[in-house]
Coordinates of all heavy atoms in Angstrom, one line a residue:
V1 N 25.8 51.0 -56.1 CA 26.7 50.1 -55.3 C 28.1 50.5 -55.7 O 28.5 50.2 -56.9 CB 26.4 48.7 -55.6 CG1 27.2 47.8 -54.6 CG2 24.9 48.4 -55.3
A2 N 28.9 51.0 -54.8 CA 30.3 51.3 -55.1 C 31.2 50.1 -55.3 O 30.8 49.0 -54.8 CB 30.9 52.2 -54.0
D3 N 32.3 50.3 -55.9 CA 33.2 49.1 -56.1 C 33.7 48.5 -54.8 O 33.8 47.3 -54.7 CB 34.4 49.6 -57.0 CG 34.0 49.9 -58.4 OD1 32.9 49.5 -58.8 OD2 34.8 50.6 -59.1
A4 N 33.9 49.4 -53.8 CA 34.4 48.9 -52.5 C 33.3 48.0 -51.9 O 33.7 47.0 -51.2 CB 34.7 50.0 -51.6
V5 N 32.1 48.3 -52.0 CA 31.0 47.5 -51.5 C 30.8 46.2 -52.2 O 30.6 45.1 -51.7 CB 29.7 48.3 -51.5 CG1 28.5 47.5 -50.9 CG2 29.8 49.6 -50.6
K6 N 31.0 46.3 -53.6 CA 30.9 45.0 -54.4 C 32.0 44.1 -54.0 O 31.8 42.9 -53.8 CB 31.0 45.4 -55.8 CG 29.8 46.1 -56.4 CD 30.1 46.5 -57.9 CE 29.0 47.4 -58.4 NZ 29.2 47.8 -59.8
Q7 N 33.2 44.6 -53.8 CA 34.3 43.8 -53.4 C 34.1 43.2 -52.0 O 34.5 42.0 -51.8 CB 35.6 44.6 -53.3 CG 36.9 43.8 -53.1 CD 37.2 42.8 -54.1 OE1 37.2 43.1 -55.3 NE2 37.3 41.5 -53.7
Y8 N 33.5 43.9 -51.1 CA 33.2 43.4 -49.8 C 32.2 42.2 -49.9 O 32.3 41.2 -49.2 CB 32.6 44.5 -48.9 CG 32.3 44.0 -47.5 CD1 33.3 43.6 -46.6 CD2 31.0 44.0 -47.0 CE1 33.1 43.2 -45.3 CE2 30.7 43.6 -45.7 CZ 31.7 43.2 -44.9 OH 31.4 42.7 -43.6
A9 N 31.2 42.4 -50.8 CA 30.2 41.3 -51.0 C 30.9 40.0 -51.5 O 30.6 38.9 -51.1 CB 29.1 41.8 -51.9
V10 N 31.8 40.2 -52.5 CA 32.6 39.1 -53.0 C 33.4 38.4 -52.0 O 33.5 37.2 -51.8 CB 33.4 39.5 -54.2 CG1 34.3 38.4 -54.7 CG2 32.5 40.0 -55.4
D11 N 34.1 39.2 -51.1 CA 34.9 38.7 -50.1 C 34.1 37.9 -49.1 O 34.6 36.9 -48.6 CB 35.7 39.8 -49.4 CG 36.8 40.5 -50.3 OD1 37.1 39.9 -51.3 OD2 37.2 41.6 -50.0
L12 N 32.9 38.5 -48.7 CA 32.1 37.8 -47.7 C 31.6 36.4 -48.2 O 31.7 35.4 -47.5 CB 30.9 38.7 -47.4 CG 29.9 38.2 -46.4 CD1 30.6 38.0 -45.0 CD2 28.8 39.3 -46.2
V13 N 31.2 36.4 -49.5 CA 30.7 35.1 -50.0 C 31.9 34.1 -50.2 O 31.7 32.9 -49.9 CB 30.0 35.3 -51.4 CG1 29.6 34.0 -52.0 CG2 28.7 36.2 -51.1
N14 N 33.0 34.7 -50.7 CA 34.2 33.8 -50.9 C 34.6 33.2 -49.5 O 35.2 32.1 -49.5 CB 35.3 34.6 -51.5 CG 36.4 33.7 -52.0 OD1 36.2 32.8 -52.8 ND2 37.6 33.9 -51.5
A15 N 34.5 34.0 -48.4 CA 34.9 33.5 -47.1 C 34.1 32.2 -46.7 O 34.6 31.3 -46.0 CB 34.7 34.5 -46.1
T16 N 32.8 32.1 -47.2 CA 32.0 30.9 -46.9 C 32.6 29.7 -47.6 O 32.4 28.5 -47.2 CB 30.6 31.1 -47.3 OG1 30.4 31.2 -48.7 CG2 30.0 32.3 -46.7
R17 N 33.3 29.9 -48.8 CA 33.8 28.8 -49.5 C 35.2 28.3 -48.9 O 35.6 27.2 -49.3 CB 34.0 29.2 -51.0 CG 32.7 29.7 -51.7 CD 33.0 30.4 -52.9 NE 31.8 31.0 -53.5 CZ 31.8 32.0 -54.4 NH1 33.0 32.4 -54.9 NH2 30.7 32.5 -54.8
E18 N 35.8 29.1 -48.1 CA 37.1 28.8 -47.6 C 37.1 28.5 -46.1 O 38.1 28.0 -45.6 CB 38.1 29.9 -47.8 CG 38.3 30.3 -49.3 CD 39.2 31.5 -49.5 OE1 39.4 32.2 -48.5 OE2 39.6 31.8 -50.7
A19 N 35.9 28.7 -45.5 CA 35.9 28.5 -44.0 C 36.0 27.0 -43.7 O 35.4 26.1 -44.4 CB 34.5 29.0 -43.5
P20 N 36.8 26.6 -42.7 CA 37.0 25.2 -42.4 C 35.7 24.5 -41.9 O 35.6 23.3 -41.9 CB 38.1 25.2 -41.3 CG 38.0 26.6 -40.7 CD 37.6 27.5 -41.8
D21 N 34.8 25.2 -41.4 CA 33.5 24.6 -40.8 C 32.5 24.4 -41.9 O 31.4 23.9 -41.6 CB 33.0 25.5 -39.7 CG 33.8 25.4 -38.4 OD1 34.5 24.4 -38.3 OD2 33.7 26.3 -37.6
I22 N 32.7 24.9 -43.1 CA 31.7 24.8 -44.2 C 32.1 23.9 -45.3 O 33.2 24.0 -45.8 CB 31.4 26.2 -44.8 CG1 30.9 27.2 -43.7 CG2 30.4 26.1 -45.9 CD1 30.7 28.6 -44.1
R23 N 31.3 22.9 -45.6 CA 31.5 21.9 -46.6 C 31.2 22.4 -48.0 O 31.8 22.2 -49.0 CB 30.8 20.6 -46.3 CG 31.0 19.5 -47.4 CD 30.5 18.2 -46.8 NE 29.1 18.2 -46.4 CZ 28.1 17.9 -47.1 NH1 28.3 17.5 -48.4 NH2 26.9 17.8 -46.6
L24 N 30.0 23.2 -48.1 CA 29.6 23.8 -49.3 C 29.3 25.2 -49.1 O 28.4 25.6 -48.3 CB 28.3 23.1 -49.8 CG 27.7 23.6 -51.1 CD1 28.7 23.4 -52.3 CD2 26.4 23.0 -51.4
G25 N 30.1 26.1 -49.8 CA 29.9 27.5 -49.6 C 28.8 28.1 -50.5 O 28.2 27.4 -51.3
A26 N 28.6 29.4 -50.4 CA 27.6 30.1 -51.1 C 28.0 30.2 -52.6 O 29.1 30.3 -52.9 CB 27.3 31.4 -50.5
S27 N 27.0 30.2 -53.5 CA 27.2 30.3 -54.9 C 27.3 31.7 -55.4 O 27.0 32.7 -54.7 CB 26.0 29.6 -55.6 OG 24.8 30.4 -55.4
P28 N 27.7 31.9 -56.6 CA 27.7 33.2 -57.2 C 26.3 33.9 -57.3 O 26.2 35.1 -57.2 CB 28.3 33.0 -58.7 CG 29.1 31.8 -58.5 CD 28.4 30.9 -57.5
R29 N 25.3 33.0 -57.4 CA 23.9 33.5 -57.3 C 23.7 34.2 -56.0 O 23.0 35.2 -55.9 CB 22.9 32.4 -57.5 CG 21.5 32.8 -57.5 CD 20.5 31.7 -57.5 NE 20.4 31.0 -58.7 CZ 20.6 29.7 -58.9 NH1 21.0 29.0 -57.8 NH2 20.5 29.1 -60.0
A30 N 24.3 33.7 -54.9 CA 24.1 34.3 -53.6 C 24.7 35.7 -53.6 O 24.2 36.6 -53.0 CB 24.8 33.4 -52.6
T31 N 25.9 35.9 -54.2 CA 26.5 37.2 -54.3 C 25.5 38.2 -55.0 O 25.3 39.3 -54.5 CB 27.8 37.2 -55.0 OG1 28.6 36.1 -54.6 CG2 28.6 38.4 -54.8
L32 N 25.0 37.8 -56.1 CA 24.0 38.6 -56.8 C 22.8 39.0 -56.0 O 22.4 40.2 -55.9 CB 23.6 38.0 -58.1 CG 24.6 37.8 -59.2 CD1 24.1 36.9 -60.3 CD2 25.0 39.2 -59.8
Q33 N 22.3 38.0 -55.3 CA 21.1 38.3 -54.5 C 21.4 39.1 -53.3 O 20.5 39.8 -52.8 CB 20.3 37.0 -54.2 CG 19.8 36.3 -55.5 CD 19.0 35.1 -55.2 OE1 18.9 34.6 -54.1 NE2 18.3 34.6 -56.3
L34 N 22.6 38.9 -52.7 CA 23.0 39.7 -51.6 C 23.0 41.2 -52.0 O 22.5 42.1 -51.3 CB 24.3 39.3 -51.1 CG 24.9 40.0 -49.9 CD1 24.0 39.8 -48.7 CD2 26.3 39.5 -49.6
I35 N 23.6 41.5 -53.2 CA 23.6 42.9 -53.6 C 22.2 43.4 -54.0 O 21.9 44.6 -53.6 CB 24.6 43.0 -54.9 CG1 26.0 42.8 -54.5 CG2 24.4 44.3 -55.6 CD1 26.6 43.9 -53.6

């Protein structure tokens, strides 16, 4: 897993925590399991 792909995974999960339509975003466990 290249660094660019890891960063994309982090950005994707972090976007769920900042989205206005989401009250509870995905956890760091979700990032690990996504990878």
Side-chain angles (χ1 to χ4, degrees):
V1 184
D3 291 341
V5 178
K6 293 177 184 176
Q7 185 62 54
Y8 182 66
V10 171
D11 292 343
L12 183 58
V13 174
N14 192 58
T16 67
R17 303 165 189 162
E18 300 176 350
D21 287 338
I22 298 177
R23 177 164 58 92
L24 177 66
S27 66
R29 183 191 285 122
T31 314
L32 289 171
Q33 296 189 347
L34 182 62
I35 289 294

